[in-house]
Amino acid sequence: MIVQEAHIGTHVDEIPLNLEEEILRLKRDLNAVLLAHYYQESEIQDLADIVGDSLELSRRAASTNADVIVFAGVHFMAETAKILNPAKQVLLPDLLAGCSLAEGCPAPLFKQFIEQHPGHIVISYINCSAAVKALSDIICTSSNAEKIIRQIPEAKPIIFAPDRNLGKYLIKKTGRQMVLWQGTCIVHETFSDRKIIHLKVQYPAAKLIAHPECEESVLDKADFVGSTSGLLRYVQSSPDQEFIVATEAGIIHQMTKACPEKFFIPAPPEESCSCNLCPYMKLNTMEKLYLCMKNRKPEITIADEVMRKALLPIQRMLEMS
Ligand code: 13P
Ligand code: SF4
């Protein structure tokens, strides 16, 4: 049964009533794997074969034997899957699902930045474009960045890009000086210190847990700092019952599923807005997911030369983590 129509350009697509059923059917028909990040809307997470952080999703993309990879996440994540699987079709429900960190680090400017710091090893956070990855020596995610930096010989100077908050956090953790690209995440930089302090007064037993993309002032107050999967593991293993969660609120879906008896409070942004939701991640909807599988587009394409150069630093990451 058809209940809606979606207009994409001049083309009109019919949207079936039971989207879940249709997506599962298309997944079987295409022999596709559906990978979803923790910041996707809960319906998408519930349909996915794998829900994970950037590292887990890259590993799964590297090892899949599906014919088609449907990536419910943002563009740099789907690009990483494509670089690891050049012969496979990688679909992203909305090509505009970008990332402020990736957009804030254009490859031509980053190339100049590297040239201004000769002799440095370039470690780039996975939240960057394929073209920036192609200019990098090693890629990392928030799960493995510390481990990777600790493997770099002491005498080797490091450029770390594009997230300055993660970079500052890693400098503190490892004691390694690094030259930082000054990028930020528009979601994690909006958490309000002031409102978090209020919440801590209101819920004195609650633990503050934060993603390392948050500002230093939030990270300094946190009881635990970790990647999305690190935060999820922490709440599962902690004896505590209440948590203030300073990352994109989509992760609370998995936290509640894993620990229904525990209480999760999303960290508030400074303004009265939904700024603790990633506007890029939320561009993907069930309707767009269905349509991308039905039409087998939008599809990720990357120039061969970029793809070839970007593969090596991703492979190094997978070996080093
Ligand atoms: P994770 O690798 O921790 O999932 O982080 C990805 C991201 O985009 C955080 O904003
Ligand atoms: Fe990028 Fe921030 Fe969204 Fe993560 S939450 S995808 S870092 S904009």
Side-chain angles (χ1 to χ4, degrees):
M1 183 180 172
I2 308 301
V3 283
Q4 310 166 39
E5 288 181 332
H7 293 254
I8 296 182
T10 52
H11 182 74
V12 178
D13 258 301
E14 292 165 341
I15 304 283
L17 181 60
N18 195 331
L19 275 171
E20 286 86 347
E21 228 168 62
E22 285 302 304
I23 290 168
L24 291 174
R25 181 186 62 75
L26 283 166
K27 201 152 69 71
R28 282 191 303 274
D29 291 355
L30 297 176
N31 186 28
V33 63
L34 175 55
L35 304 178
H37 189 266
Y38 291 119
Y39 298 165
Q40 290 295 285
E41 57 181 54
S42 50
E43 291 90 335
I44 295 181
Q45 291 189 37
D46 288 345
L47 279 182
D49 296 299
I50 319 284
V51 186
D53 68 356
S54 310
L55 179 61
E56 173 72 358
L57 295 175
S58 307
R59 282 196 178 124
R60 294 305 187 118
S63 65
T64 185
N65 48 23
D67 294 324
V68 176
I69 299 174
V70 184
F71 214 115
V74 288
H75 194 268
F76 75 81
M77 296 178 176
E79 270 191 336
T80 306
K82 181 69 184 176
I83 294 162
L84 287 163
N85 294 280
K88 288 187 179 161
Q89 187 174 41
V90 178
L91 302 171
L92 180 66
D94 191 324
L95 276 189
L96 295 176
C99 167
S100 65
L101 282 168
E103 285 166 14
C105 187
L109 290 185
F110 190 52
K111 188 166 182 289
Q112 284 175 18
F113 185 74
I114 295 171
E115 285 162 2
Q116 284 158 9
H117 300 91
H120 286 58
I121 189 160
V122 180
I123 304 183
S124 295
Y125 187 35
I126 198 163
N127 297 41
C128 64
S129 66
V132 165
K133 288 185 176 75
L135 295 168
S136 308
D137 296 303
I138 310 173
I139 301 304
C140 69
T141 73
S142 50
S143 305
N144 59 19
E146 185 181 340
K147 189 171 177 190
I148 287 175
I149 287 166
R150 289 192 190 280
Q151 292 173 60
I152 308 301
E154 281 293 330
K156 192 76 189 160
I158 302 173
I159 288 176
F160 186 84
D163 188 0
R164 69 160 181 232
N165 288 334
L166 175 60
K168 273 196 232 164
Y169 171 74
L170 291 166
I171 290 173
K172 267 198 186 167
K173 281 285 270 189
T174 63
R176 284 297 290 267
Q177 276 316 308
M178 302 193 289
V179 177
L180 303 181
W181 180 271
Q182 296 297 312
T184 55
C185 159
I186 51 164
V187 178
H188 289 85
E189 71 176 356
T190 57
F191 293 124
S192 162
D193 235 12
R194 188 177 58 84
K195 290 189 183 173
I196 287 175
I197 293 167
H198 271 244
L199 280 176
K200 285 195 86 146
V201 172
Q202 208 180 336
Y203 300 96
K207 292 280 181 276
L208 172 63
I209 59 171
H211 194 280
E213 289 173 12
C214 292
E215 296 281 341
E216 194 173 3
S217 56
V218 172
L219 296 179
D220 285 346
K221 293 181 191 64
D223 297 289
F224 178 75
V225 176
S227 69
T228 48
S229 53
L231 299 178
L232 182 58
R233 276 194 303 271
Y234 180 82
V235 301
Q236 285 176 279
S237 61
S238 165
D240 294 294
Q241 294 299 306
E242 294 176 357
F243 303 88
I244 301 166
V245 183
T247 191
E248 212 267 8
I251 184 95
I252 292 179
H253 179 59
Q254 293 299 329
M255 290 179 172
T256 312
K257 269 173 100 171
C259 312
E261 73 293 354
K262 297 190 179 182
F263 183 48
F264 303 102
I265 308 148
E270 185 55 52
E271 306 298 329
S272 312
C273 60
S274 307
C275 316
N276 57 0
L277 299 177
C278 174
Y280 301 100
M281 287 276 183
K282 272 25 185 202
L283 281 177
N284 293 332
T285 59
M286 286 285 281
E287 287 76 9
K288 289 184 203 169
L289 177 60
Y290 162 74
L291 289 174
C292 89
M293 293 172 81
K294 175 173 170 267
N295 299 326
R296 296 188 70 157
K297 62 180 188 197
E299 172 179 8
I300 299 288
T301 53
I302 308 170
D304 286 348
E305 172 79 347
V306 173
M307 190 129 74
R308 197 178 48 73
K309 286 189 178 156
L311 178 61
L312 194 60
I314 297 173
Q315 282 175 333
R316 285 200 187 110
M317 168 184 84
L318 294 173
E319 283 158 17
M320 291 170 84
S321 50

